[in-house]
Amino acid sequence: MNHASPAPASPGLRPHTARLYDYFLGGKTNYGVDRKLATEALSLYPNTMVAARHNRAFMHRVVRYLGREAGLCQFLDIGTGIPTEPNLHQVAQREHPEARVVYSDNDPIVLAHARALMTGSPEGATDYVEADVRDPELILEHAGRTLDFDRPVALSLIALMHFVGDADDPFGIVRRLVDALPSGSALALSHATLELDPGLQKVADAYGRQGLEVRLRDHEQVLGFFSGLELVEPGLVATCDWRPELDDSPQDADMVDRSEVGVWAALGIKP
Ligand SMILES: C[S@@+](CC[C@H](N)C(=O)[O-])C[C@H]1O[C@@H](n2cnc3c(N)ncnc32)[C@H](O)[C@@H]1O
């Protein structure tokens, strides 16, 4: 575990995406600056909370699928977020107690709460690296201490890449990460879009005013992250439509309004 950067005693005055997301999921690990922006986002786009919950539920289902159907038990989760139960390793280790998970995020507050991410099954292993996805080499080097890159690894970039602007070569970053994984590996990715509801632009603008870049991408652009991979059915769809039957308690599909979801999601397998 990388202990390089403990959480600051004084959190500073800038909101951060991890703490905003925590607020939207009903968590308590957020500061006044985060709640102020989160409240503004909710007033501009009340669906934000619903979208966050659908996104989190996609993570649970795709990890379940990877364990049950694809037999994967190694995970590299970048843009982990503040721990919210069940965390990825808890879902994965329910399927395979020996599952090994490396988490990574660039918000020091996630590191401060990483103990919750490190308490897994005795047969499995978890680790955490504080890093920015824009430094894939650092993440891969650290992950290699826990994961065996000669065996398939599931890379999860869930609700992360819309925080990486075009100037930072987001597609090149994902390619570099996927290139490091062997055949049979997987990429689970979700990404905010305007196509399900153009109203999401107001949230992106509010984040932008606070210095948080959000780059919303359309279906074709998000598909670009899966270049060279084979998409698992049903392909790139709204988070709520990705294998809803894998939910612990599936919601009646008719009760979900796609315009509330705001996020594309898919799973690709490396041939
Ligand atoms: C919306 S949350 C998603 C959390 C989790 N993946 C999920 O879907 O439930 C986005 C996470 O990405 C992290 N993040 C944002 N930009 C990042 C970057 N450049 N490098 C690494 N992590 C980043 C944030 O700190 C936050 O924890």
Side-chain angles (χ1 to χ4, degrees), residues 22-157:
D22 174 75
Y23 180 85
F24 295 135
L25 289 176
K28 294 184 179 145
T29 310
N30 43 72
Y31 298 112
V33 283
D34 306 307
R35 292 189 287 276
K36 189 161 177 283
L37 177 54
T39 309
E40 184 189 352
L42 282 170
S43 71
L44 293 167
Y45 186 72
N47 297 337
T48 312
M49 229 158 205
V50 179
R53 286 174 189 174
H54 277 297
N55 179 69
R56 191 75 185 172
F58 163 70
M59 183 275 275
H60 298 158
R61 294 196 303 276
V62 78
V63 171
R64 238 170 249 144
Y65 176 92
L66 285 161
R68 277 180 208 169
E69 310 286 332
L72 263 73
C73 48
Q74 299 199 97
F75 293 82
L76 174 54
D77 180 54
I78 308 177
T80 296
I82 291 162
T84 304
E85 298 224 346
N87 294 293
L88 190 152
H89 72 280
Q90 293 165 316
V91 180
Q93 291 180 347
R94 224 168 273 153
E95 304 299 326
H96 296 283
E98 73 280 17
R100 303 175 81 78
V101 179
V102 174
Y103 290 112
S104 183
D105 203 287
N106 73 344
D107 185 347
I109 203 163
V110 180
L111 173 66
H113 290 266
R115 191 164 298 140
L117 300 171
M118 312 292 284
T119 312
S121 67
E123 304 92 327
T126 60
D127 198 5
Y128 182 85
V129 53
E130 189 190 25
D132 196 295
V133 69
R134 290 169 291 191
D135 190 355
E137 306 302 334
L138 173 71
I139 296 173
L140 289 166
E141 188 275 317
H142 191 110
R145 301 177 203 169
T146 302
L147 306 178
D148 175 1
F149 282 112
D150 291 329
R151 293 191 299 122
V153 173
L155 169 66
S156 62
L157 305 175

Side-chain angles (χ1 to χ4, degrees), residues 11 17 19 24 46 57 67-68 73 96 101 117 129 131 143 155 196 215 224 226-227 237 246-247 255 259 266:
T17 53
R19 301 183 311 253
F24 295 135
R68 277 180 208 169
C73 48
H96 296 283
V101 179
L117 300 171
V129 53
L155 169 66
L196 296 164
R215 173 68 166 94
F226 293 91
S227 169
V237 293
L246 287 169
D247 253 331
M255 295 182 76
S259 72

